[in-house]
């Protein structure tokens, strides 16, 4: 009966196993194969070869010279900026970006994710109804409190520095925006949504930009 090493689960034969050296070497080689740093010319070559990746797999891509690893759901370029499209939702009726732009980039280094989100409203953007949430590029961890992100937004009422925080304290996948939503001189901040800033709803050409860093799951 084949046994396995305690740390990496690599197979090795027992004295009572059938003497089949090529088979035992093949089993060992296959066990080691997925635990080494794999090397591929491109991400497409990697994905074609590794059809069922396992969480923790690491692969070097010659182009564009990055080290990638598999999180269990997706390949991520380690320490390099990755593009993603953030989700944008509202509490009551979801908005739609239309001919506006909604882009994002993120980089994961160890257990830390750095990200940026930029949205410019267009002429066919629908703003939905209710307070807004944006999706994080990678599920967050449990840092013992809410991380704080910063950004800037503009509406017909003016330009404001805004802050953002994850929607939950454990494994967050999105975050909310906070800023001066009313037209009075009050310094209070409320959740930002379809009502815009300073009592003025967002219009075409206005933007929201957010940057942040947080612990990943």
């Amino acid at each position: 009966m084949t046994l396995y090493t305690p740390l990496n689960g690599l197979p090795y034969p027992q004295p009572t196993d059938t003497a089949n050296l090529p088979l035992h070497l093949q089993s060992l080689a296959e066990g080691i194969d997925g635990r080494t740093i794999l090397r591929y010319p491109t991400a497409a070559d990697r994905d074609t070869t590794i059809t069922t990746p396992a969480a923790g797999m690491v692969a070097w891509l010659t182009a564009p010279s990055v080290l990638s690893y598999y999180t269990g759901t997706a390949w991520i370029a380690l320490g390099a900026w990755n593009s993603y499209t953030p989700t944008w939702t509202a509490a009551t009726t979801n908005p739609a970006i239309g001919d506006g732009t909604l882009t994002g980039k993120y980089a994961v280094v160890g257990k830390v994710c750095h990200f940026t989100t930029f949205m410019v409203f267009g002429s066919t953007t629908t703003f939905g109804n209710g307070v807004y949430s944006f999706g994080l590029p990678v599920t967050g961890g449990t840092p013992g409190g809410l991380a704080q992100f910063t950004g800037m937004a503009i509406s017909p009422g003016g330009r404001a520095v805004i802050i953002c925080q994850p929607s939950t304290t454990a494994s967050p996948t999105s975050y909310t925006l906070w800023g001066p939503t009313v037209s009075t001189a009050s310094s209070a901040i409320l959740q930002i949504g379809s009502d815009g800033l300073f009592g003025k709803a967002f219009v075409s050409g206005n933007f929201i930009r957010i940057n942040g860093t947080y612990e990943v799951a």
Side-chain angles (χ1 to χ4, degrees):
M1 179 181 68
T2 301
L3 294 183
Y4 299 88
T5 59
L7 298 181
N8 274 310
L10 298 175
Y12 62 93
Q14 296 302 291
T16 55
D17 290 340
T18 302
N20 190 334
L21 184 58
L23 177 62
H24 296 319
L25 288 176
Q26 179 183 348
S27 298
L28 179 60
E30 290 174 349
I32 294 174
D33 197 30
R35 292 168 171 81
T36 60
I37 296 180
L38 311 171
R39 295 170 178 82
Y40 298 98
T42 65
D45 294 312
R46 177 200 61 200
D47 296 342
T48 299
T49 304
I50 311 174
T51 55
T52 55
M57 276 188 169
V58 178
W60 171 261
L61 306 179
T62 304
S65 297
V66 297
L67 195 64
S68 62
Y69 75 99
Y70 193 69
T71 64
T73 57
W75 285 100
I76 291 180
L78 183 62
W81 285 100
N82 303 269
S83 297
Y84 82 108
T85 301
T87 58
W88 176 35
T89 60
T92 304
T93 304
N94 283 335
I97 193 62
D99 63 352
T101 59
L102 176 56
T103 59
K105 283 191 170 185
Y106 70 100
V108 177
V109 181
K111 297 285 287 183
V112 177
C113 179
H114 308 278
F115 78 97
T116 180
T117 296
F118 185 55
M119 178 166 66
V120 181
F121 303 113
S123 61
T124 63
T125 297
T126 57
F127 297 92
N129 187 27
V131 296
Y132 290 157
S133 294
F134 287 97
L136 291 168
V138 181
T139 300
T142 307
L146 289 175
Q148 297 291 320
F149 316 138
T150 59
M152 180 172 289
I154 188 171
S155 79
R159 184 186 301 256
V161 173
I162 63 175
I163 63 171
C164 312
Q165 65 182 28
S167 301
T168 63
T169 57
S171 303
T173 58
S174 62
Y175 59 93
T176 55
L177 291 65
W178 297 73
T181 61
V182 297
S183 57
T184 66
S186 170
S187 60
I189 61 172
L190 300 171
Q191 281 189 259
I192 297 172
S194 53
D195 291 335
L197 294 171
F198 303 112
K200 299 291 185 179
F202 295 114
V203 298
S204 177
N206 291 165
F207 69 83
I208 297 175
R209 182 190 297 276
I210 300 147
N211 302 284
T213 298
Y214 64 97
E215 178 184 350
V216 302

